[in-house]
Amino acid sequence: MPVFASAHGWAYGLVAACLFTMALPHAAAASAAGSESLPPGFVVVRQVVPGVIEDMRYAGTRNFIGDPIRGYEAAHCILSVPAARALKHVQERAAAFGLNLKLFDCYRPQRAVDHFVQWAKDLSDQRQKATYYPDVPKEQLFAEGYIAERSGHSRGSTVDLTLVDATSGEALDMGTPFDYFGPESWPSNMDLPAPVRANRLLLQELMENAGFVHYPEEWWHFTLANEPFPETYFDFVVR
């Protein structure tokens, strides 16, 4: 069994029932709000994958730019229907290990990719360098493939994620943060402690067994092999 580098800690009455009943219309409205404007073939993932954790970094400031990214007006994950269904299988398999999925990014509007490109060309903005690209000069981000004018995320079947302890919520040690630019993030990097490599391997096997393919330079990045929109780069807003 793989070694996990994380800590394992492994009748409300009538009033509560009434409050719960009153809340149902609001919950339904919130759930529907994210899906009503989606193009055919897309779905809000939490409606398909119960219990999944969303930590959507580009909707806030905890990302390599340090600002909310254009096109993210809500902090939830959208994927193509086949990718979401495959992710449900991953969540179910992870539960057998006492783990849960945490999502960092899913569908990414083209306008968000354009935001990345604009930022990468502004060499004066180095606010997040120490955290996300300490050893890569910003002017080399294009040449080394960390920033590009197109992203598979915009096709709707790519997801960035990690594994967390289902009881404590603590993330397994993957060796680097999400979106760390450097060889330390490569799944093939062997210069890492054995527990880190085991955790990465477990994530990779769970995803590949559900039909995803890993990206060789980012341990968190997976694309559905049989993605339904392989040539289409969407630009609808996440809301």
Side-chain angles (χ1 to χ4, degrees):
M1 178 178 292
V3 180
F4 301 144
S6 66
H8 289 266
W10 299 88
Y12 292 105
L14 180 61
V15 173
C18 291
L19 290 173
F20 177 76
T21 302
M22 292 169 61
L24 284 177
H26 300 286
S31 177
S35 58
E36 61 186 7
S37 60
L38 296 181
F42 284 86
V43 67
V44 175
V45 167
R46 66 172 175 269
Q47 297 175 358
V48 177
V49 188
V52 72
I53 300 170
E54 296 173 303
D55 183 10
M56 310 305 291
R57 298 295 181 86
Y58 300 141
T61 60
R62 292 180 60 215
N63 57 63
F64 63 89
I65 291 181
D67 297 317
I69 306 304
R70 287 196 295 271
Y72 291 87
E73 296 181 2
H76 56 239
C77 170
I78 293 169
L79 285 174
S80 69
V81 171
R85 288 174 176 167
L87 202 63
K88 180 180 180 182
H89 291 300
V90 180
Q91 174 82 329
E92 291 170 349
R93 291 288 306 278
F97 292 93
L99 301 171
N100 203 348
L101 301 182
K102 176 183 280 190
L103 311 179
F104 297 125
D105 193 36
C106 301
Y107 158 72
R108 181 184 304 166
Q110 179 61 44
R111 71 193 70 192
V113 179
D114 296 342
H115 191 168
F116 293 172
V117 171
Q118 178 184 348
W119 166 85
K121 292 178 178 179
D122 179 7
L123 300 183
S124 67
D125 186 351
Q126 303 275 345
R127 288 174 293 161
Q128 301 290 75
K129 180 175 177 58
T131 301
Y132 292 97
Y133 54 105
D135 301 318
V136 181
K138 191 174 181 183
E139 57 268 24
Q140 294 296 316
L141 292 179
F142 284 106
E144 297 194 20
Y146 296 112
I147 301 293
E149 295 185 354
R150 288 288 182 92
S151 169
H153 281 275
S154 300
R155 302 194 300 263
S157 297
T158 294
V159 59
D160 296 335
L161 77 171
T162 192
L163 295 167
V164 303
D165 184 294
T167 301
S168 69
E170 182 179 351
L172 272 59
D173 185 0
M174 296 294 182
T176 74
F178 163 64
D179 260 356
Y180 185 89
F181 300 158
E184 296 87 349
S185 293
W186 299 357
S188 61
N189 191 320
M190 300 300 291
D191 297 326
L192 296 167
V196 170
R197 289 186 279 116
N199 291 338
R200 289 184 179 188
L201 182 60
L202 175 60
L203 176 61
Q204 183 174 323
E205 289 185 344
L206 288 170
M207 295 297 287
E208 290 181 345
N209 286 340
F212 290 90
V213 177
H214 78 277
Y215 182 61
E217 295 184 0
E218 298 173 348
W219 59 259
W220 55 83
H221 181 121
F222 297 86
T223 298
L224 189 68
N226 295 319
E227 56 182 313
F229 308 109
E231 304 296 334
T232 305
Y233 294 82
F234 294 88
D235 192 37
F236 61 90
V237 173
V238 178
R239 58 166 57 100

